[in-house]
Amino acid sequence: MSTGRLTIDLNAITENWRALDALSPSTVETAATVKADAYGLGIAPVARALAAAGARTFFIATAEEGAALREALGPSARIFVYGGHMAGDTDTIGDLGLVPMLNSIEQMTRHFESLPGLPFGVQLDSGMNRLGMEPAEWAAVRDITMRQGPQLVMSHLACADEPGHEMNRTQLANFHEMTRGLGVPLSISATGGTLLGPDYHFDMVRPGVGLYGGMPFEDAATVVRLSLPVIQVREVDAGEPVGYGNSWIADRPSRIATVSAGYADGVHRALAGKGIAMYHGATACPIVGRVSMDLITVDITDLDGDPQALDLLNTMQRIDDLADAAGTIGYEMLTALGPRYVRRYTSAAA
């Protein structure tokens, strides 16, 4: 093995989807968000596994992603585009039967004029101030929009990963006010909102990161295992440095494994010195020295022999453990996993 191997457990993804689906009554549809190439794990195999598990509605960010998803799933899946109907997307949306979530009067005008009568949804801004129509803007076009028959009206929560945050209740109240009497399916919740409980479920939830083993879904099954090959093992004496800047000095005679991966592969440079290990079976081997572009150095002194590979991600060290150490979030760690890894999909536990 000359490059790292990223093993993606499709059973774990579908197990997580079913677990989140079980939190809502059968009247609430559980969709699946597979944007950003299914959070870096491969949109085609992931979406096919979710469809086989029962998912019928999918969300992506752009029309281009929708084209890849339509090719993977065929004509039966319903595909919503969070980014809406952008200039230049008309043919893709129309030809592939995508459903844009219209975010502005400009997008509504574009859609109604270029694709009259074709499906659409509406995204409202309930307080996040990122995407969607604000209350006054929505009030001005609400009646004419509803006569066109949107398939879905949605919003997005800013602080759903903090259950006690007052912003959740504020946005919920705003969304109720903006959608009162519409009589069409409503949605406000991704993973975090799904976990907030039935007040936030409405007609559809659309989990994303929780499907892939990320927080705030604490009970998620582990989805990814990342195994990295050892290129070389060397002996260093007490007092000798390892890596750029002499940032780590051996305090005993040590064996150092140099592993093939680095920040070019999504292993953040900020992980150095933060207590992150690599694993040989159940044995943790500390990362020492700086993470460089293509290489990581690991202290394997306490192993009985020299391993051929070490795991950076497994059931003992998950994506959010790396994210916490790097001062970021699991979403970024997942989507940063580099193209040099050999991806292996399995239906058994990795």
Side-chain angles (χ1 to χ4, degrees), residues 64-134:
E64 291 81 4
E65 290 182 345
L69 184 57
R70 179 64 75 204
E71 181 178 358
L73 294 182
S76 62
R78 190 164 58 151
I79 300 173
F80 286 93
V81 182
Y82 282 130
H85 190 153
M86 299 289 289
D89 286 348
T90 299
D91 288 345
T92 301
I93 289 171
D95 292 346
L96 298 179
L98 308 180
V99 186
M101 298 302 303
L102 306 180
N103 293 290
S104 65
I105 292 176
E106 178 187 7
Q107 287 196 355
M108 284 186 171
T109 301
R110 179 180 297 123
H111 189 76
F112 295 160
E113 289 181 352
S114 63
L115 296 174
L118 292 192
F120 70 96
V122 176
Q123 184 160 189
L124 304 177
D125 177 16
S126 57
M128 191 175 184
N129 286 314
R130 186 183 68 167
L131 196 62
M133 305 185 72
E134 296 184 358

Side-chain angles (χ1 to χ4, degrees), residues 297-333:
T297 42
V298 183
D299 185 353
I300 62 166
T301 308
D302 295 328
L303 296 183
D304 292 336
D306 295 345
Q308 293 186 343
L310 295 166
D311 287 349
L312 182 61
L313 291 169
N314 54 22
T315 57
M316 290 165 285
Q317 185 167 267
R318 295 167 56 144
I319 201 73
D320 283 283
D321 296 317
L322 301 190
D324 290 345
T328 184
I329 56 176
Y331 303 72
E332 183 179 2
M333 301 301 295

